[in-house]
Structure formats: structure tokens, C-alpha cells
Amino acid sequence: MDGGLNNLKKHVFFELLNLAGRAFVLVGYSDDVLLGNRRFTAEEKENGIILVFNSKMNFMWDDYGITATLVFGTSPQKCFVPADAIRAVYSPELNAQFTVSPQPKAVGGQSERLSTKTRIGQPTVGALKTKPRKQEGSVMKSAAKKNVIQVDFTKKTKR
């Protein structure tokens, strides 16, 4: 992942920590994440785990990620969270969040994002299988647009 993006995560984290006194970090599953002798549960592997850091904790965020001793239940665990595994940094007190989408997995040496030309015309996984509504003045000019759903964001008045 881009070092600039990881630096932005770090900056947002410390800003939220300074303003609210604590910051929440959503960590996606990765073999590189170390949570002491604790392991990711099946649900955490799918959705990630939320770790809470406060300004009184002893931790270090360097170029690679966050190193800290975190307490799970009553058991302190030495942990390391790579910056690339951090999916979101947020603060409920400030109603603020910074979210990053996970990197696509490599397919045949290329990322999924780079291999889209092999999937042109195929709906993406989880794509809605509804036909787009034709709007006034809207003409479908190619078959590739048949998977596009148009949304009208104009404000409707209540009656």
C-alpha cells in the first residue's frame, strides 16, 4: 500500500487521539497482524477487529505499523498491527472516521484492478441484477451500459 496513505492514516489517528483522548482502529485480517497468543475469530476474519487506543497507553506507530501491549479481557498481549492492515480510524465522540478499502488480491501476478479488461461485460460479484430505468432524455448507446443503474438525486417534496 502507498506510504503516503499510511502516513495519512497515522496523521488522522493522532489527530483523533489528541482531540478525543482515544481513537478506534478497524484492523482487517492479515497473517501479518500479531495479537499476542490471541487469534482472529471467524467473524473477525471476515469483518475485522476493532482496537481501542487511548492517550495514556504506551504504544509506538512507526513506518511499519503500530506496536503496543493491548489487553483482551484481563490478559495483556504484545501486538503488532501493520499499517496496511488498518481499514479505518475513527472516533465515536467526534463522529469522525477515515476509511480505506482493502487492496485487491493479486490474480496471476496482477491485481484485480489491473485485470478488468478480461472481465469487460461481466457483472461484478454482488452486482445488482436489475435493469436500469430509462429516464427521460436518456438513451442507451451500447450494450456495456446495460449494467448501469441510474439514480436520480433530485429532492422530492412530501405531500
Side-chain angles (χ1 to χ4, degrees):
M1 188 173 285
D2 184 53
L5 187 56
N6 287 338
N7 286 335
L8 182 57
K9 290 177 198 177
K10 181 178 179 180
H11 178 75
V12 170
F13 173 86
F14 281 106
E15 287 296 321
L16 296 176
L17 191 66
N18 289 334
L19 291 170
R22 67 180 183 163
F24 291 66
V25 176
L26 174 63
V27 179
Y29 174 73
S30 167
D31 289 334
D32 297 331
V33 176
L34 303 175
L35 302 174
N37 59 12
R38 184 190 186 285
R39 303 285 181 246
F40 278 84
T41 65
E43 182 180 343
E44 291 168 346
K45 283 183 178 181
E46 187 175 326
N47 301 320
I49 184 171
I50 297 171
L51 304 176
V52 182
F53 294 85
N54 66 51
S55 55
K56 296 178 183 174
M57 292 174 67
N58 186 17
F59 63 88
M60 180 181 72
W61 189 325
D62 60 17
D63 292 340
Y64 306 102
I66 304 172
T67 304
T69 299
L70 301 174
V71 178
F72 298 95
T74 59
S75 178
Q77 303 288 331
K78 293 190 185 268
C79 302
F80 174 72
V81 177
D84 288 344
I86 296 172
R87 301 288 173 247
V89 178
Y90 66 97
S91 169
E93 293 86 3
L94 299 173
N95 197 26
Q97 69 179 1
F98 176 75
T99 307
V100 179
S101 298
Q103 287 287 336
K105 294 181 182 175
V107 176
Q110 294 182 340
S111 72
E112 288 179 26
R113 192 175 292 152
L114 297 176
S115 64
T116 54
K117 62 184 173 186
T118 63
R119 296 182 289 130
I120 292 176
Q122 298 175 0
T124 58
V125 174
L128 295 175
K129 294 185 180 183
T130 59
K131 293 182 180 178
R133 290 183 3 201
K134 290 187 179 180
Q135 294 181 351
E136 195 173 314
S138 173
V139 177
M140 293 296 191
K141 294 185 179 181
S142 71
K145 290 188 177 182
K146 70 180 180 181
N147 291 333
V148 175
I149 298 173
Q150 296 179 346
V151 179
D152 183 7
F153 287 105
T154 58
K155 187 175 181 179
K156 295 183 180 183
T157 57
K158 292 183 180 179
R159 294 182 185 185

